[in-house]
Amino acid sequence: MKHSILIHPDPRLKKVCAPVADLSDKLRLLADDMLETMYAAPGIGLAAPQIGVMDRLIVLDCEKEEGVEPKPLIMFNPEIISASDETNVYEEGCLSIPDQYAEVTRPKEVEVQWLDRDGNQQRQSFDGLWATCVQHEIDHLDGKLFIDYLKPLKRQMITRKMQKLKKERARAKGA
Ligand SMILES: [Zn+2]
């Protein structure tokens, strides 16, 4: 089932999410729904708070090449264990901040630990787009958006655009 994605600014996108204590079937199905929602958007990552669920859960798939099998990852309680000193700059976007992109500098490689869909502990290193994406999604669980890395003026400009977009959408719905 597809969910609707919250648009910034929204107080739920600014909160720290709670760790998942018990991996229930309900949470597994929610993760599947999140993947469906992410692919439909389309996007390469989605965090639970973006659909209004305040649990530490993210999904991602940065495999963009055509004809290549999708590589969906479901991560409960993801944690960055270590990060490289070397950095990378990517132009980032966010499903909660549609059509806005900006360059963000982050560690080039990160090692991440998480619980998979079956509740098994996983540990893996990521680099390139995968590293940027997993850091962007984990940030969401701490109430942090990619625009928080930008200069205040640019951030305010994007936020104003989003406020306008939300107003327009609300008006379209009411009409
Ligand atoms: Zn995002």
Side-chain angles (χ1 to χ4, degrees):
M1 188 184 83
K2 263 199 298 171
H3 292 257
S4 55
I5 297 172
L6 299 179
I7 302 296
H8 165 74
D10 188 295
R12 287 166 287 181
L13 295 173
K14 300 304 293 174
K15 289 209 172 88
V16 176
C17 297
V20 172
D22 197 15
L23 236 180
S24 61
D25 281 344
K26 202 178 146 205
L27 275 168
R28 286 190 178 92
L29 292 175
L30 178 74
D32 296 340
D33 281 354
M34 280 172 58
L35 275 172
E36 191 186 335
T37 304
M38 178 193 86
Y39 284 127
I44 58 171
L46 187 69
Q50 291 181 278
I51 57 162
V53 175
M54 308 315 287
D55 287 325
R56 299 191 80 84
L57 161 61
I58 62 171
V59 298
L60 62 157
D61 183 353
C62 301
E63 188 56 69
K64 287 206 294 193
E65 240 170 279
E66 243 172 275
V68 176
E69 279 286 294
K71 289 197 183 84
L73 278 179
I74 292 171
M75 297 183 177
F76 293 97
N77 301 337
E79 250 183 278
I80 293 170
I81 302 301
S82 65
S84 64
D85 292 331
E86 205 183 334
T87 56
N88 221 348
V89 181
Y90 265 103
E91 185 161 74
E92 294 190 24
C94 181
L95 293 176
S96 293
I97 310 174
D99 300 322
Q100 303 298 318
Y101 303 91
E103 287 190 338
V104 178
T105 304
R106 298 183 189 268
K108 188 176 177 287
E109 278 175 62
V110 286
E111 193 176 5
V112 183
Q113 186 174 289
W114 72 94
L115 287 180
D116 67 16
R117 200 180 181 281
D118 300 318
N120 296 316
Q121 185 132 318
Q122 300 286 345
R123 200 177 175 141
Q124 198 183 312
S125 285
F126 296 92
D127 68 3
L129 182 59
W130 284 89
T132 285
C133 184
V134 76
Q135 292 175 79
H136 174 123
E137 299 312 327
I138 292 173
D139 271 354
H140 272 299
L141 306 181
D142 293 317
K144 196 165 183 183
L145 303 170
F146 83 90
I147 55 170
D148 293 329
Y149 292 92
L150 309 179
K151 296 209 170 72
L153 211 63
K154 172 105 192 195
R155 182 165 64 237
Q156 283 156 18
M157 200 185 76
I158 292 178
T159 299
R160 254 179 252 126
K161 277 189 192 159
M162 290 302 104
Q163 281 164 334
K164 204 174 146 218
L165 175 75
K166 286 178 85 169
K167 247 183 232 161
E168 282 165 6
R169 285 191 180 180
R171 211 178 293 143
K173 236 185 228 170

